[in-house]
Amino acid sequence: MNIYEQHEIKGWFFLPEYPDNRVPGILKWDPFKGAEIELMGGLSLLVTPDLESGGIYVITDEIVASMPAQTIYLETEAGKKYSIWDAWRSGYSINHILEKIHEERWLSRLVYVGDHVLSEENAFIKATFYIDGLYYLVNDSRILPPEWCKMDGVERPGERLENGTFLLPYRLPVLGGFKAGKFEGNTKDACYSVNTFATRPWISEATEADPWLKLRFMLKHQRHGLTLTISVGANIGITLRKNGEETEVLEGTASDFLDKFVPIHDLMRLATFHPCAVAKVQLQLKNNHDDGYLLKKVNEVARPEESYDDGNVVFTLNDVSLENFLEKREYFTDTDGAISPWRILIGLCGYFSNYAEEYISQSFAAAEGFHKLCLDKSERYTLKERLKDLYSLLPQEVQEKLKLDVDEWAKHAVEARNHAAHGGPRRSDGSMSVSDRYVIAASVFLVTYLVVLNELGVPTEKITQALCSHPKISTVMSYCDEVRSMLEL
């Protein structure tokens, strides 16, 4: 079940502790809003204010807000099971004549599809995430170049006949199926495996006995004719480990696996300079080989059907191994407090705020915090010294692309930061506009981001290529041109 799609499920709702009190209703899933549950009746008896008899009352006050979040189970007529986690009641109405709840509404951000499981239960042994753009970091060739071939019934291939016939028989080699562990990496508490998959024919006794049946299962019969779709993609599987030890099966909650996904989210943001969107999450129960699905409200909604330019990728896992990335990320975030500037830095990859002062202050927070805490530099550095040191960490070829007068750039950057963080510098001629400060902040963040790439081991030629051809990075690069013009005045 895909996160980015809307879903509506009708069935019977009940609380785990009261399985016999079942209420009909509908679960609506919207990727932007999360889950909304509308019930015909209520799940529990609640303390309510004194009301006059003779009608139905809608309760929307602090009584609703004070209800603790809890798990709600749903079961459809077909027997399919859902677990709605951390649900909170958003409102209800009371039929005072019957002295019972008339309607009830609940909200949630997390829904598990596949079984009845409590949110805090260590029920899962594996999570698999499908992420927009992940395949382009893997680039596993599963569809090979077409090959011209001879075929029965085609006597003169490639020759155009008088009646317009023109036949070119060919084969399209496809390496179908599932390939596990194309790239792998570990942290102290999780194991990661990037896997690829491609369309393959259905395998059964019937299809193996009848090749035409095998083909029929792969074809779509549409009004215009037949369509054969070959798809290739990638996902990442995550299992848990304890203190770096290899264990057969380690169980965890859904939240445990969501926490372990964060490094992969960071990898995607850095490698694509674009927000990371998850299309689907599968969770495997410890006693069940069939995967369930997790619906989670996210800030960025996946769009897997949209076209994608592989030029949007800054580096691949062939450039920086998954193992090395995880080790380096752990090094960057291991110092006390280092995770905060790291998160700011990741959040700014490909993000351009509509509020100039927000972007300015966040860019400098990322640069100063990354230098001080992630690179573990001395507290004695001034901001100007930090910026100059960051710039010095860039390869010479990258510095030649940026062409910044480092002393003047750092001086103006300090003034721009002081405007955003301290209400303005003590000494200023007032010549720097908001747009000037914005482009300086963009150049500061670009330098910081490029230092991260270099520290990760991204090849210098990949970095310089991204400065020229990546859609968003080249835009930030153009801001450096504006900064140079400003400094020359």
Side-chain angles (χ1 to χ4, degrees), residues 315-453:
F315 65 89
T316 71
L317 291 172
N318 291 313
D319 302 314
V320 178
S321 73
L322 182 58
E323 185 74 36
N324 287 343
F325 170 79
L326 293 170
E327 288 179 2
K328 200 67 178 180
R329 181 192 180 276
E330 198 166 22
Y331 166 77
F332 285 147
T333 58
D334 198 42
T335 306
D336 288 343
I339 192 65
S340 294
W342 175 259
R343 285 174 176 164
I344 295 172
L345 188 153
I346 295 297
L348 288 176
C349 290
Y351 171 74
F352 298 93
S353 174
N354 292 325
Y355 301 94
E357 297 299 342
E358 176 199 30
Y359 184 78
I360 294 168
S361 61
Q362 292 294 290
S363 296
F364 282 103
E368 189 169 10
F370 177 76
H371 185 268
K372 179 171 63 175
L373 297 172
C374 300
L375 295 182
D376 197 22
K377 296 289 186 175
S378 170
E379 293 278 355
R380 295 192 296 270
Y381 278 83
T382 65
L383 175 59
K384 183 177 181 180
E385 291 169 341
R386 291 191 189 282
L387 295 177
K388 292 173 67 174
D389 192 50
L390 281 172
Y391 195 85
S392 71
L393 295 176
L394 295 174
Q396 188 63 35
E397 297 92 326
V398 177
Q399 293 186 28
E400 291 173 358
K401 284 283 185 181
L402 298 177
K403 298 178 182 177
L404 293 174
D405 183 326
V406 181
D407 287 322
E408 286 298 312
W409 170 71
K411 173 185 172 183
H412 282 70
V414 171
E415 182 176 344
R417 192 283 303 267
N418 289 345
H419 268 285
H422 303 311
R426 291 184 177 181
R427 295 190 183 94
S428 174
D429 58 9
S431 61
M432 192 180 295
S433 65
V434 174
S435 60
D436 291 337
R437 299 198 297 273
Y438 187 92
V439 297
I440 288 177
S443 69
V444 167
F445 178 72
L446 178 61
V447 168
T448 309
Y449 170 71
L450 297 179
V451 170
V452 175
L453 296 186

Side-chain angles (χ1 to χ4, degrees), residues 96-111:
H96 196 75
I97 298 175
L98 301 177
E99 295 184 349
K100 62 187 296 187
I101 294 175
H102 178 64
E103 292 179 338
E104 201 168 51
R105 294 172 299 282
W106 295 76
L107 300 174
S108 173
R109 298 186 180 91
L110 278 173
V111 177

Side-chain angles (χ1 to χ4, degrees), residues 87-131:
W88 69 95
R89 197 166 56 165
S90 63
Y92 64 95
S93 61
I94 295 177
N95 187 327
H96 196 75
I97 298 175
L98 301 177
E99 295 184 349
K100 62 187 296 187
I101 294 175
H102 178 64
E103 292 179 338
E104 201 168 51
R105 294 172 299 282
W106 295 76
L107 300 174
S108 173
R109 298 186 180 91
L110 278 173
V111 177
Y112 175 65
V113 182
D115 212 331
H116 289 156
V117 180
L118 296 173
S119 61
E120 65 275 12
E121 187 176 346
N122 288 323
F124 304 102
I125 59 173
K126 183 179 180 180
T128 303
F129 292 81
Y130 294 77
I131 315 162

